[in-house]
Amino acid sequence: MKKKLFYKILVSLWMITALTLSVSAADFNILRFGAVADGSTINTIAIQKAIDACEQAGGGKVIFPEGRFLSGTIVLKNKVVLQIDKNAVLLGSTDLKDYQNLDPFTEGLGIDVGWALVVAVDVKNIGIIGEGTIDGQGQAIKERQILKDTRPEGQRWGLRPFLVRIVRCTGVHVKGVTLKYAGAWTSHYFQSKDIRIEGLKIESFGVAHNDGIDIDGCQDMIIRDCDIVSGDDALVFKTTSSKMSCKNIQVSGLKLKSNQAGIKMGTESMAAFENIKITNCYIYDTKNGGIKLLTVDGAHLKNIEISDITMDQVRTPMLFRLGSRLSVFRKATDTRQVTGVFENVRIKNVKAMASANAQLMPPSGILISGVPGHAISNLTLENIEITLAGGGLAEHAHQQVPEAIDQYPEVKTFGPRVPAYGVWARHVKGLRLINVKFHLENNDLRPALVVSDGKNIEVDHWEIPETTGAEAIIRLENVENALIQNLTGTGLVKQLVQQVDHTRGVRIVNAQIKSSKAQ
C-alpha cells in the first residue's frame, strides 16, 4: 500500500474526529420530543423531530437513553450524531408500511431493495455511537409479512428493511454500537467517503440476506476491531454503480462468522476495487467461503492485499473469480459493461482449517478461475497453510469443470467438484504460489495443484503431504512457461509433474519427494 494512501486516510480520520468533536456541543434527548421507551409506541415522528432540531441548531448529539424505542425509518441530517446509550434499544417496527426507500436499487440476484430503519442521504459529518443496540426484529418482520405476501421468499425479501444505510455521505463515524437482526442487509454504505467503523458488534441472522457490513463504492475508509456474526456475507465490498469505486480502504482486527462468506468482494462489481488492505482477521464457522474475490460485471479488481488471516472450520477457504455475468443494478444511470480485469492481488500469511463438509465434495482449498480470453493476472499466494479432509478418488482427478462464464459466481458454480485438492487454477497468467503447505486427514488421489490454460506460473517452496497412488502431484494443462522448484514431501505417485495439452516451457528444480516414483 502506498505511503500517500496511509497519509490520506490518517488525515481523513483526523478530520472525522475533529468534526465529531465540533458537533458535540448540543445534546437532544429524544424523550424531550415525545419519545416513549415502552417498546410498543411508534416513535418515528418524535425521533425525527429531535434529529431535525439538532440539525437546525448547527449539529450535535441525539441521545437515546435507557429504554426500548420502537420506530420506522428515521433520517440522519448534517452534523447529527446518534448516541445510543447503554441499555438503550432502537427497535425496528414490524410493519413494512413504517419504512421508506430513499435510494432504490437492484441487488445481485435481481431484487429491488433499499428500505431502511436508519438512513442518511447526501449529508456530512454524521455518526452512530454508544454502547446501545439497534435491533431490526427481522424474524418478526418476516413472520408478519408472510401472512399477506404469499410470493416465494426469493421475491418478497427485498421489501424488508436494511438496518443502517449511508448514501453519498462524507465524514461518517460508527463506533461501539450493537446491530441486531436486520430485515435484510445489516449495514450498507454507498458512494460515501471518509468513513471510520470501529468496535462494532453485529449479530444479524435468521432471515435471508443478512449481510454484516456492505461497502458499496466507498473511499477513504477504516474498519477495525469489529465482531460480526451474520446470516449472509460478513464483510462484503460491492459496486452496484459504475460511478464510484471501492478505493483506499483499510480493514484490521475483525472476527467474522457467516453462513456465507467471511470476506468478499463482489458479486455486484461494476466500478473498481482498488488499493484495499485487509489484515489480522479471524474467520470461523463460515459456510460458503473464507475469502472470495469476484469481479463479474466489468469491474477492475486490482492492488488488493490480504494478510495474516486465520480460518477455522471454513468451507472452501478461498475463491478468486473473473467472469462475464455483466449485470446492471441501477438501470436508470448505468449500462452494461465489458468483462473486467483481475490483477495484482496478494494474499499472504493465511492458516486455515477447512471444513470436512464443503460445497464441493471432496473438499478443495483454493479455486481460481478466469474465463476464456480473460485471465486472472499477477495473483500471488504466499505463506499459505491449509488442512483438508482429503478423500478424492482417481476419477475425481479428471473432473471436468463448467466455465459458467455468465453465471452468478459461487463455489457451487464449479461443482460437483474440482480436480485438485489444494489449488485448482484456470485461465491464469503470472500466478505465483510461494511457500504453500497442505495437510490431508485422508489420502487424496487428486493432484495438489492443477493449472489449466496458464502462462508464467511459479510454484516455489511447497510442502506436499503424503499421498499414495495418485497419478501426479502437479498437473499442467495447456500451460506455457512454468517454474516448479523447492518441493518437499513424501508419497508414492506415478509422476511429480504431469504435462498435457500442449504444455511447454516447464522447469523443475530441486524437487525432493521422498519414496516417490517421480519421473
Side-chain angles (χ1 to χ4, degrees), residues 313-486:
Q313 295 304 313
V314 171
R315 293 185 182 181
T316 311
M318 299 186 216
L319 168 65
F320 307 100
R321 173 62 163 169
L322 169 61
S324 301
R325 181 181 64 175
L326 308 181
S327 292
V328 178
F329 309 101
R330 296 172 183 265
K331 294 179 174 58
T333 57
D334 266 320
T335 57
R336 198 169 191 255
Q337 302 189 138
V338 299
T339 302
V341 173
F342 188 125
E343 64 182 359
N344 300 334
V345 172
R346 187 181 186 192
I347 314 293
K348 66 177 184 178
N349 304 336
V350 175
K351 186 171 184 178
M353 174 69 72
S355 173
N357 180 22
Q359 310 95 307
L360 309 182
M361 293 296 290
S364 296
I366 301 171
L367 281 59
I368 307 167
S369 183
V371 294
H374 299 276
I376 289 178
S377 301
N378 300 326
L379 170 63
T380 298
L381 305 181
E382 183 176 2
N383 300 335
I384 309 295
E385 183 174 356
I386 301 178
T387 300
L388 292 152
L393 304 178
E395 57 265 33
H396 298 161
H398 295 279
Q399 176 72 47
Q400 296 299 305
V401 182
E403 289 283 359
I405 293 171
D406 60 354
Q407 299 301 301
Y408 188 93
E410 271 298 0
V411 173
K412 66 181 181 181
T413 302
F414 302 102
R417 65 188 62 85
V418 298
Y421 68 77
V423 179
W424 169 76
R426 179 174 64 184
H427 310 307
V428 291
K429 180 172 64 176
L431 176 64
R432 301 179 70 242
L433 306 170
I434 311 300
N435 193 22
V436 176
K437 182 177 182 179
F438 290 106
H439 305 276
L440 288 174
E441 295 178 349
N442 297 282
N443 194 46
D444 201 307
L445 298 182
R446 297 174 294 172
L449 168 66
V450 172
V451 180
S452 179
D453 184 24
K455 186 175 183 179
N456 301 331
I457 309 301
E458 181 180 356
V459 177
D460 190 4
H461 280 95
W462 275 44
E463 186 172 331
I464 306 298
E466 182 174 359
T467 55
T468 300
E471 196 171 54
I473 290 176
I474 295 173
R475 185 168 72 246
L476 304 178
E477 305 168 346
N478 191 25
V479 170
E480 179 181 352
N481 298 330
L483 172 61
I484 299 170
Q485 61 183 350
N486 302 318

Side-chain angles (χ1 to χ4, degrees), residues 263-295:
I263 297 170
K264 180 178 175 183
M265 294 182 192
T267 61
E268 297 94 331
S269 46
M270 296 198 71
F273 305 92
E274 54 186 334
N275 300 340
I276 299 173
K277 184 175 183 179
I278 302 172
T279 188
N280 190 29
C281 295
Y282 175 59
I283 304 171
Y284 68 105
D285 293 347
T286 294
K287 303 298 190 295
N288 200 5
I291 298 170
K292 295 162 70 172
L293 306 185
L294 320 165
T295 172

Side-chain angles (χ1 to χ4, degrees), residues 201-203 205 226-230 234 254-263 281-290 309-315 353 355:
K201 185 174 182 179
I202 292 177
E203 299 175 11
F205 48 87
C226 299
D227 187 345
I228 301 174
V229 178
S230 62
L254 269 57
K255 184 178 180 182
L256 305 167
K257 177 181 178 180
S258 169
N259 286 334
Q260 292 295 323
I263 297 170
C281 295
Y282 175 59
I283 304 171
Y284 68 105
D285 293 347
T286 294
K287 303 298 190 295
N288 200 5
I309 307 295
T310 300
M311 306 187 202
D312 188 18
Q313 295 304 313
V314 171
R315 293 185 182 181
M353 174 69 72
S355 173

Side-chain angles (χ1 to χ4, degrees), residues 135-269:
D135 185 342
Q137 300 196 97
Q139 185 63 45
I141 290 175
K142 176 181 177 180
E143 290 173 359
R144 181 169 176 174
Q145 179 193 23
I146 62 177
L147 293 176
K148 295 182 179 180
D149 190 342
T150 58
R151 294 176 299 165
E153 174 68 6
Q155 297 176 21
R156 66 174 171 239
W157 77 265
L159 294 175
R160 297 177 199 148
F162 297 4
L163 209 58
V164 175
R165 285 202 71 202
I166 306 297
V167 178
R168 296 184 300 274
C169 296
T170 302
V172 180
H173 190 194
V174 179
K175 180 179 180 181
V177 294
T178 296
L179 304 181
K180 286 188 174 183
Y181 309 124
W185 297 357
T186 306
S187 58
H188 179 220
Y189 302 81
F190 175 66
Q191 290 188 348
S192 296
K193 294 183 177 182
D194 298 334
I195 304 167
R196 183 173 182 174
I197 302 171
E198 55 184 339
L200 194 66
K201 185 174 182 179
I202 292 177
E203 299 175 11
S204 194
F205 48 87
V207 299
H209 308 286
N210 277 150
D211 290 4
I213 299 177
D214 286 275
I215 308 304
D216 186 353
C218 292
Q219 300 181 358
D220 305 326
M221 186 172 192
I222 282 184
I223 306 171
R224 68 181 188 184
D225 302 330
C226 299
D227 187 345
I228 301 174
V229 178
S230 62
D232 210 312
D233 302 317
L235 173 67
V236 55
F237 299 82
K238 304 172 180 287
T239 48
T240 61
S241 165
S242 67
K243 309 305 181 186
M244 187 168 166
S245 62
C246 278
K247 183 178 181 180
N248 299 342
I249 299 173
Q250 289 189 73
V251 178
S252 64
L254 269 57
K255 184 178 180 182
L256 305 167
K257 177 181 178 180
S258 169
N259 286 334
Q260 292 295 323
I263 297 170
K264 180 178 175 183
M265 294 182 192
T267 61
E268 297 94 331
S269 46

Side-chain angles (χ1 to χ4, degrees), residues 498-510:
Q498 186 180 42
Q499 303 178 43
V500 297
D501 296 340
H502 309 292
T503 292
R504 61 191 183 276
V506 177
R507 289 192 297 146
I508 303 172
V509 180
N510 191 28

